[in-house]
Amino acid sequence: LVPSGTYPVDNPVAQVLGAESLKVEKSRGFTLGVVWDALPNVTLTLDYYRLQVDDRIGLIASHVDQAAVDALNAAGYPDADLLLGSAANFFGNAFDSDIHGWDFVVASRHEIGGGTLNVDFRHNYNRQDVENVDTALVAGVETPLIDGGRQYDLENQVPRHRSTLTLDYGKG
């Protein structure tokens, strides 16, 4: 059985793996939107947004290797040898993000058969770019706090394009 866990940044296990005190994330944002009543029953909206976040806090996934165990033993950490090969996570200010996109909406209302049919089409484009990935000195080696796989996930888990069409009919 190999222990694993998520450690506070002030825990010796997290510190030997490169954890530092957390800083407050800083963000700047900008939005711009327009609304157009194209017809008495049709409205179009278009919104643009951009959000830049510095010092984003993320979960740092690491593992305890022999160099980390040696450093923990040297610091007097109890039973450090039991941690060899374990997963050790901690939170850190790992990277910056630049997020931007736009939302487009067409909404219409139609009186049909004694009721109202609402037709709503929405399209969203969203992109997140991970920038300035921080590094930490781990066992004497400068190591990125998030690896390429995690960066890929952050930039690609949310679809860049998403559309929905909603039809709602009601009487009374």
Side-chain angles (χ1 to χ4, degrees):
L1 206 54
V2 177
S4 64
T6 300
Y7 296 91
V9 295
D10 60 352
N11 183 282
V13 174
Q15 289 180 337
V16 79
L17 295 172
E20 297 177 356
S21 295
L22 295 174
K23 299 180 279 187
V24 174
E25 294 178 334
K26 298 175 195 131
S27 65
R28 295 169 306 285
F30 170 79
T31 61
L32 178 67
V34 294
V35 177
W36 180 39
D37 291 322
L39 297 169
N41 66 327
V42 177
T43 301
L44 291 93
T45 64
L46 181 63
D47 296 293
Y48 172 81
Y49 58 89
R50 182 166 186 186
L51 178 65
Q52 294 172 300
V53 185
D54 296 334
D55 298 321
R56 286 206 51 192
I57 296 173
L59 185 64
I60 312 303
S62 190
H63 69 281
V64 179
D65 60 11
Q66 188 61 55
V69 169
D70 293 344
L72 289 167
N73 279 326
Y77 190 83
D79 299 318
D81 294 321
L82 296 176
L83 297 174
L84 183 61
S86 68
N89 305 311
F90 57 91
F91 288 95
N93 296 97
F95 57 95
D96 300 341
S97 283
D98 185 1
I99 304 158
H100 62 276
W102 50 266
D103 295 313
F104 176 67
V105 177
V106 178
S108 63
R109 295 153 307 285
H110 309 276
E111 300 301 322
I112 298 174
T116 302
L117 173 65
N118 293 306
V119 180
D120 185 83
F121 172 77
R122 296 170 183 261
H123 183 79
N124 168 261
Y125 169 79
N126 185 67
R127 180 181 176 124
Q128 173 175 213
D129 295 314
V130 172
E131 303 170 339
N132 304 319
V133 174
D134 288 337
T135 60
L137 196 60
V138 179
V141 177
E142 199 69 30
T143 306
L145 291 179
I146 61 170
D147 63 17
R150 178 71 175 128
Q151 182 172 342
Y152 179 86
D153 287 346
L154 288 165
E155 293 179 336
N156 295 285
Q157 280 180 333
V158 175
R160 292 232 169 117
H161 293 274
R162 181 173 183 264
S163 296
T164 59
L165 176 63
T166 305
L167 304 172
D168 179 50
Y169 181 78
K171 285 186 173 188

